[in-house]
Amino acid sequence: MAYIAIEDGIPGILGLMMFRPETTKPLRELAEVLLRDNNTLTRGDRETIAAFVSSRNDCKFCQLTHTAAAAEHMGGTEADYALINAVKADFQSSHISPKLKTLLNIAGKVQMGGKHVREDDVAAARSEGASDQEIHDTVLIAAVFCMFNRYVDGLATWQPEDPEVYRPIGKLMAHSGYTGTN
Amino acid sequence: MAYIAIEDGIPGILGLMMFRPETTKPLRELAEVLLRDNNTLTRGDRETIAAFVSSRNDCKFCQLTHTAAAAEHMGGTEADYALINAVKADFQSSHISPKLKTLLNIAGKVQMGGKHVREDDVAAARSEGASDQEIHDTVLIAAVFCMFNRYVDGLATWQPEDPEVYRPIGKLMAHSGYTGTN
């Protein structure tokens, strides 16, 4: 049971979002802008960064829903899901672009703390063609999921064991977005 | 120098906010709702939580500006500044209410990671009279500053050594708010 009185049977952040609509509005807008708005990073890449950071923070709800969102943006096949799982397990050996590997390296440093990101981490991303905005958005996505993960776990929200629970939620996030207006 | 090309001579998050107005809008709104909107927690208490978490994350810009904002909400005397500094150094021995101590204890756990918050941390806050929304907002403020701190430090923004630089910024935050519209 969650630490505060939120509606029963609603997993992860969803119950918290109903509890406090005033904070939910900017949180939803932030996710929409970062993960879905026009960007030179694909939606699949951005959701992969979100799933990866959530995995490092061991937040089941965020990790599994954003894994599903990432896989759905890539086509939604079992191979897509397997690719995101491989990234979370060991991104350096996974079949993703060298550029995305350098961005995940930065995201992993941000997960540990902002000061862990070093000049050579950024130089490596730049040498694979990452732009200033792509580096900015990678850092901010990683930072934002360090927030979401703490919010979801810090209030002990309900997160069922069955991984199948999370797939439809991630599909909805991928296809309908975060603000409920598109 | 910051890792990306933001305007020179603008400290901390302020340069980042000019760089990417699309993400700045929801970030500003989130700070405004959490730290300044009507709440049974005073603005001073909420800014104290923000300063405390930023201190634990060793983010100079956020720590010193929110220290100033907290002190300004309490009256802005040197004694108010000294109180917030004492909270950051050792909140358990500082001259704040027992209830705020229990909330800072929760915020400190969130800083380490969401799963560090235990049922007895929450029970202690409740026994000092904390409501569900106050517990919720404490967790979310702490989580949000784990984001802001990572954003500001992860991109290596300019953060001058002189602590006097931060006081006028914090005063402005306290008195004019975060959205620039009030």
Side-chain angles (χ1 to χ4, degrees):
Chain A
M1 251 191 47
Y3 291 149
I4 58 174
I6 55 177
E7 197 144 337
D8 267 351
I10 301 183
I13 202 170
L14 303 174
L16 299 177
M17 288 189 145
M18 293 171 61
F19 177 81
R20 189 79 157 97
E22 300 84 358
T23 46
T24 297
K25 183 175 169 289
L27 289 174
R28 284 185 176 281
E29 287 174 8
L30 184 60
E32 183 72 19
V33 171
L34 267 179
L35 299 175
R36 291 176 47 87
D37 265 12
N38 282 344
N39 201 305
T40 49
L41 295 175
T42 68
R43 288 179 174 177
D45 285 353
R46 286 176 279 161
E47 291 284 1
T48 299
I49 295 168
F52 168 72
V53 170
S54 301
S55 159
R56 289 277 174 104
N57 282 324
D58 191 25
C59 179
K60 186 192 285 280
F61 177 85
C62 298
Q63 183 202 146
L64 294 180
T65 55
H66 289 280
T67 293
E72 288 298 318
H73 284 305
M74 292 171 180
T77 68
E78 290 309 313
D80 296 315
Y81 279 85
L83 176 62
I84 311 302
N85 286 332
V87 167
K88 290 186 295 182
D90 177 12
F91 69 88
Q92 291 292 7
S93 70
S94 67
H95 295 291
I96 56 173
S97 70
K99 176 175 158 186
L100 183 54
K101 288 182 186 180
T102 64
L103 296 178
L104 288 167
N105 172 59
I106 291 173
K109 301 286 181 85
V110 171
Q111 186 270 333
M112 294 188 285
K115 289 181 166 56
H116 288 263
V117 182
R118 311 301 305 187
E119 203 150 1
D120 56 353
D121 298 317
V122 176
R126 226 179 270 291
S127 77
E128 293 295 346
S131 68
D132 272 13
Q133 188 180 311
E134 290 170 346
I135 293 164
H136 169 279
D137 284 10
T138 297
V139 169
L140 187 51
I141 291 168
V144 161
F145 279 84
C146 287
M147 167 185 67
F148 281 131
N149 300 161
R150 281 168 169 77
Y151 184 35
V152 165
D153 281 337
L155 288 161
T157 61
W158 181 58
Q159 299 178 55
E161 286 304 312
D162 181 3
E164 291 308 311
V165 167
Y166 302 93
R167 217 182 252 216
I169 301 172
K171 276 191 189 184
L172 200 66
M173 282 155 44
H175 299 301
S176 301
Y178 294 102
T179 55
T181 56
N182 43 352
Chain B
M1 249 189 53
Y3 291 149
I4 58 176
I6 55 179
E7 195 141 341
D8 266 352
I10 301 182
I13 202 168
L14 302 174
L16 299 177
M17 287 188 146
M18 291 170 64
F19 178 81
R20 188 80 157 96
E22 302 84 356
T23 48
T24 297
K25 185 174 167 288
L27 289 174
R28 283 186 176 280
E29 286 174 7
L30 184 60
E32 183 72 18
V33 170
L34 267 178
L35 300 175
R36 290 177 48 87
D37 265 12
N38 282 343
N39 200 305
T40 50
L41 295 175
T42 66
R43 288 179 173 177
D45 285 353
R46 287 176 280 160
E47 291 284 2
T48 299
I49 296 169
F52 169 73
V53 170
S54 301
S55 159
R56 290 276 173 106
N57 281 325
D58 191 25
C59 179
K60 185 191 287 278
F61 177 85
C62 298
Q63 184 203 144
L64 294 181
T65 55
H66 290 279
T67 292
E72 289 297 318
H73 284 306
M74 293 171 181
T77 68
E78 289 310 313
D80 297 314
Y81 278 85
L83 177 63
I84 311 302
N85 286 331
V87 166
K88 291 186 294 183
D90 177 11
F91 68 88
Q92 290 293 5
S93 70
S94 67
H95 295 292
I96 56 172
S97 70
K99 177 175 155 185
L100 183 54
K101 288 183 185 180
T102 65
L103 296 177
L104 288 167
N105 173 59
I106 291 173
K109 301 286 181 84
V110 171
Q111 186 270 333
M112 294 188 286
K115 288 181 165 58
H116 288 264
V117 183
R118 311 302 305 187
E119 204 150 359
D120 55 354
D121 298 318
V122 177
R126 225 179 270 293
S127 76
E128 294 293 346
S131 68
D132 272 14
Q133 188 181 309
E134 289 171 346
I135 293 164
H136 169 280
D137 285 9
T138 295
V139 170
L140 187 50
I141 290 168
V144 161
F145 279 84
C146 286
M147 166 185 68
F148 280 131
N149 300 160
R150 281 168 169 77
Y151 184 34
V152 165
D153 281 337
L155 288 161
T157 61
W158 181 58
Q159 299 176 55
E161 285 304 312
D162 181 2
E164 292 307 311
V165 168
Y166 302 94
R167 216 182 252 214
I169 301 172
K171 276 191 190 185
L172 199 67
M173 284 155 43
H175 300 300
S176 301
Y178 294 102
T179 55
T181 58
N182 45 353

